[in-house]
Amino acid sequence: MRKRSPGVFFVICGPSGAGKTTLLNRLRKRFPDLHYVPSYTSRPPRSAAERRAGRYHFVSLEEFQRLIRQRAFLEYAQYAGNYYGTVRALVNDHLRAGRDVIKEADVQGMHQLRRHRLSGRLVGIFILPPSLDALEQRLNQRGTEDPEAQRRRLSAALDELGELHLFDYVVINRHLRESLERLSAVVHIERARRE
Ligand code: 5GP
């Protein structure tokens, strides 16, 4: 019997406010067999709804640092003052078993993942807002960050733009429906490549 190919590891990056979370949620609905791996973070939840949403596993700073010492993370980074990371065991088991994984990370995380020997093939997708003005507007409208935190997030977004070379695909999120079609096309193409 043919040996089962390892899974594809789709990593979605993009500044907060680019519409990444909405797109990811829609993509997960369309591809229920993509295994979504939540991130660990030391950032407090923005709301009770965010705590329930399953995008993050919220832990204290001490717990996060303990996990760093135990080498539990495949990658981790500090972003706008908080820690975020990918727990190794949650990803590798799926990939080895031939299951595709999807999760988000920032550019620093992507840098680290590119340096690893992973159990599957890494595919990086960067979601861009249509413009920086649009990003600023979305952050303002969301109203979940104070002005200082918003400023740090915009500055982090600018830094990330210099790192687009790390990614296999860039999707400019002008219209949700169109972006979803593009992301779906990426999933189909990458799945077809290994067959
Ligand atoms: P937010 O606080 O807006 O939810 O996330 C801030 C940034 O952290 C976003 O760019 C988000 O994609 C990124 N992020 C989320 N999970 C991870 C992770 O596991 N690792 C890394 N490196 N970044 C992450």
Side-chain angles (χ1 to χ4, degrees):
M1 212 170 72
R2 199 156 71 99
K3 193 169 167 265
R4 190 166 194 173
S5 328
V8 183
F9 186 11
F10 294 98
V11 177
I12 312 274
C13 295
S16 45
K20 192 179 39 187
T21 307
T22 312
L23 271 172
L24 240 173
N25 287 341
R26 298 281 174 96
L27 196 68
R28 286 171 61 194
K29 280 212 184 96
R30 195 174 272 198
F31 295 92
D33 56 341
L34 275 180
H35 290 267
Y36 178 74
V37 168
S39 305
Y40 275 59
T41 184
S42 67
R43 169 170 74 66
R46 293 185 177 120
S47 62
E50 191 186 36
R51 188 185 280 287
R52 284 192 305 269
R55 176 181 170 213
Y56 285 119
H57 195 83
F58 294 98
V59 295
S60 65
L61 178 61
E62 293 70 32
E63 172 69 359
F64 201 102
Q65 287 170 334
R66 190 180 63 73
L67 290 165
I68 294 175
R69 285 195 301 275
Q70 290 178 346
R71 300 187 181 280
F73 292 113
L74 203 48
E75 63 76 29
Y76 70 91
Q78 255 184 314
Y79 185 100
N82 297 300
Y83 279 107
Y84 300 82
T86 305
V87 167
R88 191 188 306 273
L90 295 181
V91 172
N92 273 340
D93 290 354
H94 284 309
L95 293 178
R96 262 197 293 268
R99 293 188 288 266
D100 298 335
V101 169
I102 190 159
K103 94 172 291 291
E104 65 173 293
D106 77 332
V107 163
Q108 307 167 72
M110 191 65 195
H111 256 294
Q112 295 170 45
L113 292 172
R114 284 271 179 234
R115 286 200 298 266
H116 275 294
R117 265 180 61 87
L118 292 164
S119 309
R121 187 155 49 81
L122 180 63
V123 173
I125 306 168
F126 197 94
I127 311 287
L128 267 182
S131 68
L132 275 182
D133 280 351
L135 183 67
E136 201 166 355
Q137 253 176 29
R138 285 186 199 176
L139 279 176
N140 260 323
Q141 275 165 8
R142 197 166 76 178
T144 46
E145 269 84 28
D146 61 37
E148 170 55 20
Q150 274 187 34
R151 198 197 53 72
R152 278 196 288 178
R153 278 164 185 273
L154 272 177
S155 140
L158 276 177
D159 289 347
E160 287 190 335
L161 295 185
E163 306 286 342
L164 290 185
H165 60 95
L166 284 170
F167 296 88
D168 303 285
Y169 300 92
V170 175
V171 172
I172 301 175
N173 188 19
R174 288 197 189 87
H175 305 289
L176 190 65
R177 240 198 338 222
E178 182 194 65
S179 306
L180 183 62
E181 292 312 322
R182 289 180 183 221
L183 278 177
S184 303
V186 169
V187 173
H188 285 305
I189 289 167
E190 291 298 333
R191 284 185 155 173
R193 275 187 62 182
R194 65 166 169 204
E195 280 161 8

